[in-house]
Coordinates of all heavy atoms in Angstrom, one line a residue:
P1 N 89.2 114.6 130.8 CA 88.4 114.2 129.7 C 89.1 113.8 128.5 O 90.2 114.3 128.3 CB 87.5 115.5 129.4 CG 88.4 116.6 129.9 CD 89.1 116.1 131.1
A2 N 88.7 112.9 127.7 CA 89.4 112.4 126.5 C 89.5 113.5 125.5 O 88.7 114.3 125.3 CB 88.6 111.3 125.8
Q3 N 90.8 113.6 124.9 CA 91.1 114.6 124.0 C 90.4 114.2 122.6 O 90.4 113.1 122.2 CB 92.6 114.7 123.8 CG 93.3 115.2 125.0 CD 92.8 116.6 125.5 OE1 92.7 117.4 124.7 NE2 92.6 116.7 126.8
P4 N 89.9 115.2 121.9 CA 89.3 114.8 120.6 C 90.3 114.3 119.7 O 91.4 114.8 119.5 CB 88.7 116.2 120.1 CG 89.6 117.2 120.9 CD 89.9 116.6 122.2
T5 N 90.0 113.2 119.0 CA 90.9 112.6 117.9 C 90.8 113.4 116.7 O 89.8 113.9 116.3 CB 90.5 111.1 117.7 OG1 89.1 111.1 117.2 CG2 90.6 110.3 119.0
Q6 N 91.9 113.3 115.9 CA 92.0 114.0 114.6 C 91.2 113.2 113.6 O 91.2 112.0 113.6 CB 93.5 114.1 114.2 CG 93.7 114.9 112.9 CD 95.1 115.0 112.5 OE1 95.9 114.4 113.2 NE2 95.4 115.7 111.5
A7 N 90.4 113.9 112.9 CA 89.5 113.3 111.9 C 90.4 112.6 110.9 O 91.5 113.0 110.5 CB 88.7 114.3 111.1
E8 N 90.0 111.3 110.5 CA 90.7 110.5 109.5 C 90.6 111.1 108.2 O 89.6 111.7 107.8 CB 90.0 109.1 109.4 CG 90.2 108.3 110.7 CD 89.7 106.8 110.5 OE1 89.3 106.6 109.4 OE2 89.6 106.1 111.5
A9 N 91.8 111.0 107.4 CA 91.8 111.6 106.1 C 90.9 110.8 105.2 O 90.8 109.6 105.3 CB 93.3 111.6 105.6
P10 N 90.2 111.5 104.3 CA 89.3 110.8 103.4 C 90.1 109.9 102.5 O 91.3 110.1 102.1 CB 88.6 111.9 102.6 CG 89.6 113.1 102.7 CD 90.2 113.0 104.1
A11 N 89.5 108.7 102.1 CA 90.2 107.8 101.2 C 90.5 108.5 99.8 O 89.8 109.3 99.3 CB 89.3 106.6 100.9
K12 N 91.7 108.1 99.3 CA 92.2 108.8 98.1 C 91.2 108.4 96.9 O 90.8 107.2 96.8 CB 93.6 108.4 97.8 CG 94.1 108.9 96.5 CD 95.5 108.6 96.2 CE 96.0 109.1 94.8 NZ 97.4 108.9 94.6
T13 N 90.9 109.3 96.1 CA 90.3 109.0 94.8 C 91.3 108.9 93.7 O 91.9 109.9 93.3 CB 89.2 110.2 94.4 OG1 88.2 110.3 95.5 CG2 88.6 109.9 93.1
Y14 N 91.4 107.8 93.2 CA 92.4 107.5 92.1 C 91.9 107.9 90.8 O 90.7 107.8 90.5 CB 92.8 106.0 92.1 CG 93.5 105.5 93.3 CD1 92.9 105.0 94.4 CD2 94.9 105.6 93.3 CE1 93.6 104.6 95.5 CE2 95.7 105.2 94.4 CZ 95.0 104.7 95.5 OH 95.7 104.3 96.6
K15 N 92.8 108.4 90.0 CA 92.5 108.9 88.7 C 93.1 108.0 87.6 O 94.3 107.7 87.7 CB 93.0 110.3 88.5 CG 92.4 111.3 89.5 CD 93.1 112.7 89.3 CE 92.8 113.3 87.9 NZ 93.5 114.6 87.8
V16 N 92.2 107.5 86.6 CA 92.7 106.6 85.6 C 92.3 107.1 84.3 O 91.2 107.5 84.0 CB 92.0 105.2 85.8 CG1 92.5 104.3 84.8 CG2 92.3 104.7 87.2
A17 N 93.3 107.2 83.4 CA 93.1 107.6 82.0 C 93.2 106.4 81.1 O 94.1 105.5 81.3 CB 94.1 108.7 81.5
L18 N 92.3 106.3 80.1 CA 92.4 105.2 79.1 C 92.5 105.8 77.6 O 91.7 106.6 77.2 CB 91.0 104.4 79.1 CG 90.9 103.3 78.1 CD1 91.8 102.1 78.6 CD2 89.5 102.8 78.0
I19 N 93.6 105.5 77.1 CA 93.9 106.0 75.7 C 93.5 104.9 74.7 O 93.8 103.7 74.8 CB 95.4 106.2 75.5 CG1 95.9 107.3 76.5 CG2 95.7 106.7 74.1 CD1 97.4 107.5 76.4
T20 N 92.5 105.3 73.9 CA 92.0 104.3 72.9 C 92.9 104.0 71.8 O 93.8 104.8 71.4 CB 90.6 104.7 72.3 OG1 90.8 106.0 71.7 CG2 89.6 105.0 73.5
A21 N 92.7 102.9 71.1 CA 93.5 102.4 70.0 C 92.9 102.9 68.7 O 91.9 103.6 68.7 CB 93.7 100.9 70.0
Q22 N 93.5 102.6 67.6 CA 93.0 102.9 66.2 C 91.5 102.4 66.2 O 91.2 101.3 66.6 CB 93.8 102.3 65.2 CG 95.2 102.8 65.2 CD 96.1 102.0 64.1 OE1 95.9 102.1 63.0 NE2 97.1 101.2 64.6
G23 N 90.7 103.2 65.6 CA 89.3 102.9 65.4 C 88.4 103.6 66.5 O 87.2 103.9 66.2
G24 N 89.0 103.8 67.7 CA 88.3 104.6 68.7 C 87.0 104.0 69.2 O 86.7 102.8 68.9
L25 N 86.3 104.7 70.0 CA 85.1 104.3 70.6 C 84.1 104.1 69.5 O 84.0 104.8 68.5 CB 84.6 105.3 71.7 CG 85.5 105.3 73.0 CD1 84.8 106.3 73.9 CD2 85.8 104.0 73.6
G26 N 83.1 103.2 69.7 CA 82.1 102.9 68.7 C 82.4 101.8 67.8 O 81.6 101.5 66.9
D27 N 83.5 101.1 68.0 CA 84.0 100.0 67.2 C 83.2 98.7 67.5 O 83.3 97.8 66.8 CB 85.4 99.8 67.2 CG 86.0 99.4 68.6 OD1 85.2 99.3 69.5 OD2 87.2 99.1 68.7
R28 N 82.4 98.7 68.6 CA 81.7 97.6 69.1 C 82.6 96.3 69.1 O 82.3 95.2 68.9 CB 80.6 97.2 68.1 CG 79.5 98.3 68.1 CD 78.1 97.9 67.6 NE 78.1 97.8 66.2 CZ 77.0 97.6 65.4 NH1 75.8 97.4 66.1 NH2 77.0 97.5 64.1
S29 N 83.9 96.6 69.6 CA 84.9 95.6 69.6 C 85.9 95.9 70.7 O 85.5 96.1 71.8 CB 85.6 95.5 68.2 OG 86.6 94.4 68.2

């Protein structure tokens, strides 16, 4: 009988950080 295959590793979840500039969020720009 066929041997069970190893489960595929889940796709990596990438982590991204965004550092805002002077004025910050809410500048509507």
Side-chain angles (χ1 to χ4, degrees):
Q3 297 298 314
T5 58
Q6 185 177 4
E8 293 184 5
K12 176 178 178 177
T13 298
Y14 289 91
K15 297 174 63 178
V16 181
L18 180 72
I19 302 174
T20 61
Q22 298 173 66
L25 296 182
D27 62 359
R28 297 199 280 188
S29 182

